[in-house]
Each structure stands twice: as structure tokens, then as C-alpha cells.
Amino acid sequence: MVVSLDTVISLCKRRGIIFQSSEIYGGMAACYDYGPLGAEIKRNVRNAWWRAMTQERDDVDGIECSILMNPEVWRTSGHVENFTDPLVDCKSCRARFRADHLDGYRARYKVTGVVEGSGEGQYEVELGPAIPGKVILAGHKVDDRMFERVDKIEYTGSPLACPTCGNKALTEPRLFNLLFRTHVGPIEDAASTVFLRPETAQGMFVNFENCRGTMRRKLPFGLAQIGRSFRNEITTKAFVFRTLEFEQMEMEYFCKPGTDEEHYRHWVAERYNWYIRYGIKRENLRLRQHDADELAHYSRMCHDVEYNFPMGWGELEGIAHRGDYDLTKHMEATHKDLQYFDPETNTKYTPYVIEPAAGVDRTVMCFLIDAYDEETVLDRQRVVLRLHPALAPIKVAVLPLLKKRPEIVEICHKLTGDLMRHWKAVYDDTAAIGKLYRRQDEVGTPFCVTVDVESLEDGKATVRERDQMTQERVELDRMEEYLVEKVVMVPPKVEEPVAI
């Protein structure tokens, strides 16, 4: 079924999955809090990624790095200079936009300079969201001829109207740096400026040699990390799709040059198949290769795993070939040797790096959307989250048919305690049994166990499965064993070739 974003947001608010941050104060734009059930889902997503990336492999180690790093790390990596978005304002209504997010954005310029075959003159040039000073240079083409010299660039306007007020009054694009700045120490000056990390990757690059040596690693091997990152985004949108503060799941896979393309193809397929493994519908996933003009400054090639969100196809995870850019830059800046000595060839070289990078929040969002379903059962609407059991916030709900019977309640509490040793299990007696079932369906609980009067006689309880609503009587003394087998926490890997 087609799910609207408003439907998912409503479910998240109603069932304690995701709330607007600081809601009682009017909220904080692009910041969200995870409620009791949302925190469980988010932790389950992290655990599933961590298991696939580190526990099921013998060539990847996990680390955890500080959010605050020496500011020279970010200057060296290029983030201080290049981590920017093109920003435009409307002179009429003061609305602000990312130029590259405005469909069909164009800007016009009057350029004074010398074009081959002509003397100095003025020429009309039209660009997209690019910054003119970085594009209109000697060698830039105008009317199939190249500029030999550029003396002056004047912005003359944009044919695009403001999406908010409709006036054609958009300003020239200007670069906006996404780094959050703060200060260390009592004096706020340039010397005390540090940055909240915009990505977790650099922590793994600067710890490459530390981890290689202490873990006695040979190439190829990877370093994985889950952690918070911060970006002062101009345009935030679509619930938790793009926020100011978010969690990343990143891995840097270091390999020998010449073997990099093989590893790149492996990781693109591996990451695409991971989403299918945990229940994402194949028709809602696709791979998209980046065009040359959209590659990051450090990237040689990149594929995005995209998901068909309610607002259209969007990036879920990127797998980038970073080459030797980062290690080389850090060696140049620190004069530390980060090359790898290959004992098989007795040679040294700078490893190439393949980087799968996903956002925890976007991943949670896509699993919620993909799992959401509505159906009519006995003339009543049933809302159900068909989450994979490994991701479901509650694995089993234990329900008494009669909460006023102490014997039944006692059995329920004992059973709940036994099940809690394995995963999240809850006891609930706050409504009639039909309403309790619907409540658990709506938050994705795969199994409900109902203890009734008959249980006192035959020593059995009714196990109800979420998706098909089938029911089975199971002996109480083997209920724990039965459910541990049913609640699959580690699904089999999907080995599907992916065309790249």
C-alpha cells in the first residue's frame, strides 16, 4: 500500500516512537526525540547493522571515537573549505532555500572578460546552482568559445520564481558552510574554535595505524563506527530524513590498490542486500550511481542505495570509493607515516578506502514506512507494523484474559519475567483482549501470549502471530523455548548479485 508521510508521523506520535524535540516549548526545528518504543527500534537497527558489519565478519573491527576532534582534522579533510551548500534568499519574502533543491534553478550573470577570437567584452552566462567564481574561469565556454580571461562577474537575476511568494527576486547563490562551531575553554576566540563532527569517518582515518597495529591487521580490513554527527543544514525536511543532529553507521574498508574495484562491488551488493535481509520490499529499493558532477571532493565513484519514500526516491545509504584521499591528506598534514607495509611484496603503499555510510534515523524511517500496513478484518480496520522480529521494539506481549483472576495474573507475570531474559517482553492488562491485540499490532509486536481460564486446567496458553493472526495453544512449561525459536533475531544473509 502507498503510505503518506503524515500517516507515519501520526503513528510515531500516537505510539511513543518519535516526538518533536522540546515540544512543550514549541519544538526545535529538525530535531527529534525517540520515545520508549522508538528508542528500542533505533537500538535494534544499530544492533542489526553492527552484527552484520563486525560480528559476522572476521575482517572488520568496531571503534568509537570522540565527537570533538582537533580542528586541524577538519581543515585537512577539506570540510572547512568544501563542506558547503549553495544558499539563495528571496528578497521579497525573506525565505531561504538551497539552490540545488530548487527544481530548474538557473542564475544569469554578465561576465566581462576576453573570449578566444575576440577582444574584451561583456557576455551573458547562465548557470545552475553552482557558485560563479568557482565555475566561470579561464577555459569556461560561452557560445562554444572559451574565456581566455575573466575580469568581472555581475549577477543579473534568476528566471525562477520564489516557491513561497511567487516573486522573481532570488539572490545570487552563496556558499554556506555546514559545520557547527563551538569553543573549548573560557575565551571564545578563533584559537578556541572546534567543530562538532559532520561525519564519523575521520575518526577511523586518524586511528587507522593505531587499530592496524594493536589488532595486528593485514589488508584488507575495515573499521566500523556508529555515532552522532551534526550538520547545520539550510533545508531540513521530511520528518527525520534530514535533521541537524543524527546518527551515522559508517565503515572504512582499507584495501590494496588494484583490488579496490572488486571490494567496491562487494560492498555495494552487501549493503543493498542487508535491507532486503531485514524485510524491505525489493520494489522499494534501487541503486543509483553518482554522476561525475555530484561526487564529493574526495570520491572517485559512489553508489546510493535509494528507497522509495513517500516524498519520492531518496538516499538511504551511500557506498563511496574514497581512494587514498583521506590518508594521504592526513600524512601530508601531520608528517606521520600512514602507509601500509605489505610483507608479501616488501613494498609500502597508501591503502584505498571503500566507505559504506548509512544514517540510523533514515534507516528507522524506511523500516517504519515499509512495514506499515492497513487491512480490514471483520469489518474493522487493523493497522499493523510488519517489522522483522529483530527490529520490533517488543518481541512478545503477555496478556491476561481476565485481569481480576490472581492466578492468571501470576502466571502472566512469571512468564513475562522469563521472556525478558531474552529480549523486550511486556505485560498488559489495560484493555479488553481485542483492543490489546490491535495495540500490539500497531507497534509491530510479532507475538502475543494470552493466558485464560482454560490455562489453569490444561497448562497451555494461546500464542497469536501478528501477520496472519493465526493462533496456537502451547504448553506454558515450553513457552520460553517455543518463542525463542520463533523470534528470529539473526535472519539468513541474502546473497543476491547486484548489477553495478
Side-chain angles (χ1 to χ4, degrees):
M1 65 172 291
V2 178
V3 184
S4 73
L5 190 58
D6 287 342
T7 297
V8 175
I9 294 173
S10 175
L11 172 69
C12 288
K13 175 68 184 296
R14 186 170 67 253
R15 291 304 183 195
I17 299 174
I18 302 175
F19 306 124
Q20 179 73 50
S21 178
S22 316
E23 186 179 38
I24 63 172
Y25 282 92
M28 174 72 179
C31 296
Y32 292 90
D33 299 334
Y34 284 74
L37 296 184
E40 291 291 334
I41 296 173
K42 196 172 186 180
R43 183 176 298 277
N44 292 340
V45 167
R46 292 192 206 103
N47 289 345
W49 184 90
W50 192 260
R51 182 183 301 113
M53 299 299 280
T54 66
Q55 296 172 4
E56 294 178 355
R57 302 184 64 99
D58 61 3
D59 58 349
V60 179
D61 296 313
I63 65 173
E64 187 170 330
C65 301
S66 171
I67 288 173
L68 296 178
M69 303 178 72
N70 188 309
E72 291 304 315
V73 170
W74 305 111
R75 294 188 178 91
T76 299
S77 67
H79 283 83
V80 173
E81 180 181 358
N82 298 315
F83 198 56
T84 53
D85 283 334
L87 173 69
V88 296
D89 294 305
C90 176
K91 297 177 184 177
S92 180
C93 69
R94 306 299 182 189
R96 181 166 291 168
F97 310 95
R98 269 181 60 173
D100 57 336
H101 285 179
L102 294 176
D103 288 339
Y105 177 81
R106 307 298 292 173
R108 293 170 178 157
Y109 303 92
K110 182 170 65 176
V111 182
T112 303
V114 176
V115 171
E116 60 182 356
S118 302
E120 184 172 343
Q122 292 185 333
Y123 302 88
E124 295 293 330
V125 176
E126 189 170 288
L127 294 179
I131 303 302
K134 291 181 174 288
V135 176
I136 306 175
L137 305 166
H140 182 77
K141 280 189 175 183
V142 56
D143 298 329
D144 294 325
R145 294 182 296 169
M146 289 192 301
F147 277 106
E148 293 180 350
R149 191 180 77 227
V150 175
D151 298 325
K152 186 179 181 181
I153 303 173
E154 296 178 81
Y155 174 71
T156 59
S158 171
L160 189 70
C162 170
T164 301
C165 71
N167 290 327
K168 292 186 177 180
L170 296 178
T171 63
E172 176 183 359
R174 64 187 188 278
L175 288 178
F176 175 79
N177 194 283
L178 304 183
L179 290 173
F180 272 110
R181 290 168 168 79
T182 187
H183 296 272
V184 173
I187 300 175
E188 296 188 5
D189 58 13
S192 68
T193 299
V194 295
F195 305 99
L196 300 184
R197 67 182 180 193
E199 64 176 24
T200 60
Q202 296 305 318
M204 291 176 275
F205 290 125
V206 300
N207 278 298
F208 164 72
E209 184 58 26
N210 289 337
C211 295
R212 188 208 61 77
T214 56
M215 301 304 291
R216 302 174 301 282
R217 282 291 186 182
K218 294 181 179 180
L219 262 56
F221 77 95
L223 296 176
Q225 180 174 197
I226 300 175
R228 290 192 178 273
S229 297
F230 306 82
R231 296 181 184 179
N232 193 12
E233 296 279 3
I234 300 164
T235 305
T236 54
K237 64 175 183 178
F239 199 30
V240 297
F241 183 83
R242 180 175 289 111
T243 55
L244 303 179
E245 174 187 356
F246 55 97
E247 277 191 276
Q248 288 184 294
M249 305 180 291
E250 291 192 303
M251 192 272 295
E252 309 302 327
Y253 197 76
F254 302 93
C255 60
K256 181 179 181 179
T259 67
D260 47 295
E261 291 191 13
E262 174 189 350
H263 292 299
Y264 180 80
R265 288 192 296 271
H266 166 82
W267 281 110
V268 171
E270 189 83 357
R271 294 307 306 148
Y272 178 89
N273 289 334
W274 181 83
Y275 294 96
I276 297 172
R277 178 184 184 184
Y278 282 93
I280 296 296
K281 302 178 187 68
R282 295 173 190 268
E283 61 267 27
N284 288 335
L285 283 179
R286 72 180 186 188
L287 280 174
R288 185 184 71 84
Q289 185 170 5
H290 282 209
D291 294 330
D293 61 355
E294 63 177 320
L295 288 172
H297 64 277
Y298 52 75
S299 185
R300 295 184 171 213
M301 67 178 90
C302 184
H303 276 77
D304 283 347
V305 179
E306 292 190 330
Y307 179 76
N308 191 15
F309 290 96
M311 62 281 186
W313 289 96
E315 178 191 349
L316 189 55
E317 175 167 351
I319 300 92
H321 187 322
R322 298 183 74 129
D324 60 2
Y325 175 87
D326 299 273
L327 291 178
T328 298
K329 286 293 183 180
H330 289 305
M331 282 194 290
E332 291 173 355
T334 64
H335 306 293
K336 303 292 186 182
D337 186 4
L338 301 180
Q339 289 191 310
Y340 174 75
F341 176 75
D342 191 334
E344 295 181 4
T345 61
N346 286 325
T347 58
K348 291 181 72 174
Y349 51 82
T350 305
Y352 280 0
V353 179
I354 311 301
E355 177 195 73
V360 179
D361 305 271
R362 284 190 191 183
T363 305
V364 168
M365 183 178 174
C366 98
F367 277 120
L368 289 175
I369 293 167
D370 214 76
Y372 186 92
D373 194 15
E374 295 176 4
E375 61 183 3
T376 301
V377 178
L378 300 176
D379 297 326
R380 293 184 61 188
Q381 185 188 56
R382 181 174 89 117
V383 175
V384 55
L385 274 184
R386 303 186 190 277
L387 289 168
H388 190 283
L391 305 180
I394 300 168
K395 312 305 184 191
V396 180
V398 181
L399 316 172
L401 190 64
L402 297 172
K403 66 178 181 180
K404 293 185 178 180
R405 294 287 297 268
E407 319 94 293
I408 293 177
V409 171
E410 182 180 355
I411 292 172
C412 288
H413 281 303
K414 181 181 184 307
L415 179 58
T416 304
D418 291 341
L419 297 177
M420 287 171 65
R421 294 183 301 181
H422 301 281
W423 8 249
K424 182 74 172 178
V426 298
Y427 167 85
D428 193 359
D429 63 5
T430 58
I433 194 67
K435 191 170 184 178
L436 292 178
Y437 281 155
R438 292 294 186 268
R439 185 183 296 167
Q440 296 300 327
D441 290 343
E442 201 171 35
V443 299
T445 306
F447 295 99
C448 290
V449 177
T450 302
V451 179
D452 53 25
V453 175
E454 194 175 346
S455 303
L456 301 175
E457 300 174 1
D458 64 5
K460 297 180 180 180
T462 300
V463 179
R464 175 187 179 272
E465 190 269 339
R466 176 196 66 203
D467 293 338
Q468 303 301 320
M469 295 181 292
T470 55
Q471 298 189 10
E472 181 179 356
R473 295 287 288 183
V474 177
E475 292 85 354
L476 285 166
D477 59 5
R478 75 177 189 93
M479 184 67 71
E480 187 176 352
E481 176 187 352
Y482 174 87
L483 288 171
V484 167
E485 182 178 331
K486 290 286 186 180
V487 180
V488 178
M489 294 298 292
V490 186
K493 292 185 67 173
V494 174
E495 300 287 355
E496 179 179 295
V498 176
I500 299 174

